[in-house]
Amino acid sequence: METLITILSGVLVTVATYLILSKSVMRVILGTAILSHAAHLLIMTMGGLKTGSVPILGEGDSNVDALPQALILTSIVISFAVTAVSLVLAYRIYKETKTDDLYELRGFKDE
Amino acid sequence: MNNILVLPMAIPVLAGIILIFFRPYIKLQRWISLCVMIVNAGIAIYLLNRIQAEGIVGLNFGGWEPPFGIVFVADSFSAILILTTSIVAAICLLYAFSTIGKDHENMFFYSFVNFLVAGVNGSFLTGDLFNLYVCFEVMLVASYVLLALGGKKVQLKESIKYVVINVISSWFFLVAIAYLYGMVGTLNMAHLSERIAESGQTPLLTTISIVFLTVFALKSGLLLYYWLPGSYSAPPTAVAALFGALLTKVGVYAMFRVFTLLFYHELSFTHTIIGVLAGLTLIGGSIGAVAYRDIRQIISYNVIIAIGFILVGLAIATPEAIEGSIYYLVHDMIVKALLFLLAGSMIMLTGTARIDYMSGLIRNYPLLGWMFFIVMLSLAGIPPLSGFIGKVLVGQGAVETGSYLLLALAFLSSIVVLYSLLRVFLNCFWGETIISEEDERPQKKGWLIPCAILTIATIGLGLGAESLAPYVSNAADTLLNPDKYIDAVLYD
């Protein structure tokens, strides 16, 4: 199971890298969102995917490590916040410059 | 156990939230945020004296004993940095009062400054690696907003670059945390330090430490600084000064913490890499500082040179060098804020950022000229001013360990700093004045007083280094003896 999840997060990193290297602002932002989810899967895997029960006293013998889940929960919230901020930013860039292309953003006359 | 530790982060967060509800009352917003910074400075001074008297202070949230809960830990190093942060933020706010303009103030400017300071203070205080990541993000999200606020084209362009760079470096941070947790099974820094010492820092752990180095190098602008000059020159002056003084320094702090507390067993490998990176940063920053004729670019590259210099101290890692780095860190936060404020004032007075189009400003604005002269001397490390003592101590450490190449680079970079700023001074302040008497805009008190306070601070820090000395040596002592930190956190 660990191997499968590791490969999955590797695939996500590949997809994210491809998206981040493209020149459309929207694709870059989607890429960063996918990138952070790859990291979340990685945290999950590194914490160990034991098939145990919930980490409550008196509920079975082998328990799942609760810490990686707490970390991921926090991290997902942060990644949502950052994605939201960057989406607003992309919208503002589109309103201001009428373009979604990062290459066209280079060098303005009023700099 | 001491609840006062949470205040430097809690007060700005609460103030920031409360200020959202007082949107129309700008005067009230100003005074509340200024009071927050002053109260924070008071708490930091109290903490410093308390740490001096009874050792490192820790707080276990919710009564969960470490390593199970989240902890806040304050040693002298963090308390000194919180004090400096509060002072610099208060002065940048004072400057913002008269320059930032209604548009910014109506769009929750003060709330976001408070959130930024909360993130910075939280990063200094936390004793848990994942919490460090969270505090970094609090600070970064606030900085994204502050950078884009105003919505000029150049700001938007720089912010998207800045956001993407920081998301990617945060991703590396998460990956490093994941691997470290997988390897040693804890994230509490004191506990981590103990576990790593037990295993003797295996090659895999050293590799993870290099991932951490990459993360903090991206955040602090150590060698990977290509994003920095653009994004620090785009926002309004008060925001740029806050960024220049605070943001990169948090990365530097994290690097000090991680490489003195956790990964200190393979000095010949990790610290050599830090030394090489610091040397390259000094060279690259120097080239940038001399190459540009835009005053904002010149001072942004000066930020990079300072990062290189501070990390030379970490690479050498003798008590003197670490002390020197701490002095220089404090000095740099104050002086960089001053430099950004002065440059911003010059741009506002003349309406241009190119040094070729400015001339003879000292006739119209003598005080501005003299303050620029003082900040230039201070950055170059002329004796009575604050840059001197840090440079001497780092130099002393370098001589002791025989790292003459780093010593040469560090001191050559000081000459480049002096040259780059002297060029600004000669071009902009000397010669025929370009502003005639009737065009002359009066200097507002609101611009001059913050700059004057910072100028006094840099002179005071140089002359009064004696009174800061016990705190700094205590901080260096704690950094070099991780056992003290571990004992205070785990076995108190």
Side-chain angles (χ1 to χ4, degrees):
Chain A
M1 194 62 187
E2 263 92 350
T3 325
L4 191 70
I5 302 281
T6 313
I7 291 170
L8 179 61
S9 74
V11 170
L12 283 182
V13 172
T14 321
V15 172
T17 312
Y18 174 75
L19 284 174
I20 287 176
L21 291 178
S22 63
K23 53 184 179 176
S24 148
V25 178
M26 274 311 293
R27 278 164 175 265
V28 172
I29 292 169
L30 287 177
T32 58
I34 292 174
L35 196 62
S36 40
H37 287 303
H40 302 155
L41 278 183
L42 185 73
I43 295 179
M44 189 67 133
T45 326
M46 293 310 285
L49 299 168
K50 272 172 251 148
T51 45
S53 57
V54 283
I56 297 173
L57 276 180
E59 290 270 332
D61 302 325
S62 72
N63 293 329
V64 173
D65 186 358
L67 191 64
Q69 309 193 6
L71 302 186
I72 292 167
L73 189 60
T74 318
S75 182
I76 286 174
V77 173
I78 290 172
S79 118
F80 277 163
V82 173
T83 310
V85 168
S86 35
L87 283 173
V88 173
L89 207 58
Y91 175 68
R92 285 291 304 172
I93 289 178
Y94 182 73
K95 287 276 273 191
E96 200 76 24
T97 61
K98 294 277 173 264
T99 177
D100 183 37
D101 192 329
L102 282 168
Y103 282 82
E104 284 173 27
L105 289 177
R106 289 186 300 183
F108 295 118
K109 283 202 180 99
D110 53 351
E111 264 179 49
Chain B
M1 279 295 276
N2 201 330
N3 285 329
I4 200 169
L5 265 189
V6 78
L7 292 182
M9 187 180 182
I11 297 178
V13 168
L14 290 178
I17 294 169
I18 291 169
L19 289 185
I20 292 176
F21 299 106
F22 289 106
R23 187 176 177 186
Y25 310 104
I26 287 169
K27 275 244 165 67
L28 186 72
Q29 291 201 32
R30 290 176 176 178
W31 287 113
I32 289 180
S33 9
L34 193 63
C35 286
V36 167
M37 301 309 157
I38 291 167
V39 169
N40 264 352
I43 293 171
I45 292 171
Y46 169 78
L47 273 177
L48 260 183
N49 286 315
R50 190 167 160 161
I51 293 161
Q52 199 70 2
E54 40 184 284
I56 298 169
V57 189
L59 166 65
N60 309 332
F61 280 96
W64 288 87
E65 293 291 317
F68 301 110
I70 294 172
V71 288
F72 264 19
V73 185
D75 61 351
S76 296
F77 188 35
S78 5
I80 290 173
L81 288 176
I82 292 172
L83 178 60
T84 324
T85 302
S86 315
I87 293 171
V88 169
I91 291 166
C92 290
L93 278 174
L94 266 182
Y95 190 86
F97 290 168
S98 59
T99 58
I100 200 81
K102 280 271 181 299
D103 295 345
H104 276 80
E105 290 180 316
N106 274 329
M107 292 311 288
F108 311 109
F109 171 75
Y110 295 115
S111 294
F112 283 108
V113 172
N114 275 310
F115 291 143
L116 181 84
V117 170
V120 171
N121 283 345
S123 310
F124 290 151
L125 279 174
T126 179
D128 181 288
L129 262 185
F130 191 79
N131 215 11
L132 182 67
Y133 163 78
V134 174
C135 291
F136 258 98
E137 289 302 314
V138 170
M139 170 188 96
L140 286 173
V141 174
S143 76
Y144 302 154
V145 177
L146 284 176
L147 180 56
L149 207 58
K152 281 188 294 186
K153 273 186 192 173
V154 53
Q155 278 181 310
L156 292 173
K157 181 189 77 172
E158 293 301 340
S159 6
I160 195 83
K161 200 165 82 183
Y162 180 74
V163 170
V164 172
I165 289 284
N166 275 305
V167 168
I168 290 171
S169 70
S170 297
W171 178 75
F172 274 111
F173 203 167
L174 275 182
V175 167
I177 285 175
Y179 282 135
L180 197 59
Y181 186 72
M183 286 282 299
V184 292
T186 178
L187 285 175
N188 182 294
M189 288 207 246
H191 200 211
L192 269 175
S193 175
E194 216 176 38
R195 289 260 176 104
I196 292 172
E198 275 167 19
S199 69
Q201 198 175 341
T202 54
L204 271 175
L205 281 170
T206 310
T207 315
I208 295 172
S209 79
I210 300 302
V211 182
F212 275 111
L213 181 63
T214 317
V215 175
F216 299 136
L218 264 168
K219 305 243 189 216
S220 68
L222 175 75
L223 193 60
L224 308 169
Y225 56 71
Y226 39 85
W227 54 270
L228 194 146
S231 28
Y232 281 22
S233 51
T237 309
V239 178
L242 262 181
F243 280 21
L246 301 183
L247 291 190
T248 50
K249 307 302 181 292
V250 181
V252 173
Y253 165 83
M255 205 154 352
F256 266 85
R257 196 48 96 205
V258 166
F259 282 94
T260 57
L261 184 65
L262 307 184
F263 305 109
Y264 58 93
H265 302 281
E266 294 283 342
L267 288 184
S268 59
F269 184 67
T270 49
H271 287 232
T272 309
I273 292 185
I274 296 176
V276 172
L277 292 180
L280 290 174
T281 312
L282 286 169
I283 296 171
S286 302
I287 293 171
V290 187
Y292 284 93
R293 301 193 74 74
D294 181 318
I295 186 168
R296 290 174 304 194
Q297 299 276 354
I298 295 172
I299 56 178
S300 301
Y301 276 102
N302 270 305
V303 173
I304 294 162
I305 297 177
I307 298 296
F309 190 88
I310 295 167
L311 287 160
V312 165
L314 177 62
I316 293 166
T318 62
E320 281 84 19
I322 297 273
E323 269 183 46
S325 287
I326 297 171
Y327 272 118
Y328 203 80
L329 198 55
V330 174
H331 146 82
D332 196 60
M333 285 166 90
I334 292 173
V335 171
K336 281 288 140 58
L338 176 56
L339 193 58
F340 272 96
L341 292 186
L342 288 174
S345 307
M346 286 160 69
I347 294 169
M348 267 190 287
L349 289 169
T350 57
T352 174
R354 300 270 301 176
I355 57 174
D356 313 87
Y357 304 146
M358 289 188 219
S359 177
L361 285 178
I362 205 161
R363 303 245 171 115
N364 310 77
Y365 309 106
L367 200 55
L368 196 67
W370 285 111
M371 286 195 293
F372 195 89
F373 188 66
I374 290 174
V375 75
M376 182 176 82
L377 295 185
S378 182
L379 269 168
I382 307 291
L385 301 164
S386 58
F388 172 68
I389 185 150
K391 294 212 167 173
V392 167
L393 286 170
V394 171
Q396 206 180 337
V399 170
E400 268 174 23
T401 54
S403 19
Y404 294 109
L405 185 63
L406 278 181
L407 181 73
L409 282 175
F411 286 136
L412 278 176
S413 78
S414 307
I415 296 176
V416 176
V417 167
L418 187 62
Y419 170 72
S420 70
L421 292 177
L422 201 58
R423 209 172 51 143
V424 174
F425 189 70
L426 290 180
N427 259 307
C428 304
F429 286 103
W430 285 13
E432 280 301 307
T433 179
I434 48 160
I435 303 175
S436 60
E437 297 243 327
E438 52 268 24
D439 290 345
E440 189 179 313
R441 295 164 71 187
Q443 275 174 308
K444 282 193 206 155
K445 279 209 183 86
W447 305 1
L448 277 182
I449 290 172
C451 298
I453 299 172
L454 282 173
T455 314
I456 293 165
T458 172
I459 298 172
L461 190 62
L463 294 177
E466 193 81 348
S467 56
L468 195 65
Y471 304 113
V472 172
S473 60
N474 183 12
D477 190 41
T478 320
L479 283 179
L480 288 168
N481 298 307
D483 293 339
K484 290 190 178 168
Y485 189 94
I486 297 170
D487 283 344
V489 177
L490 291 182
Y491 305 111
D492 220 6

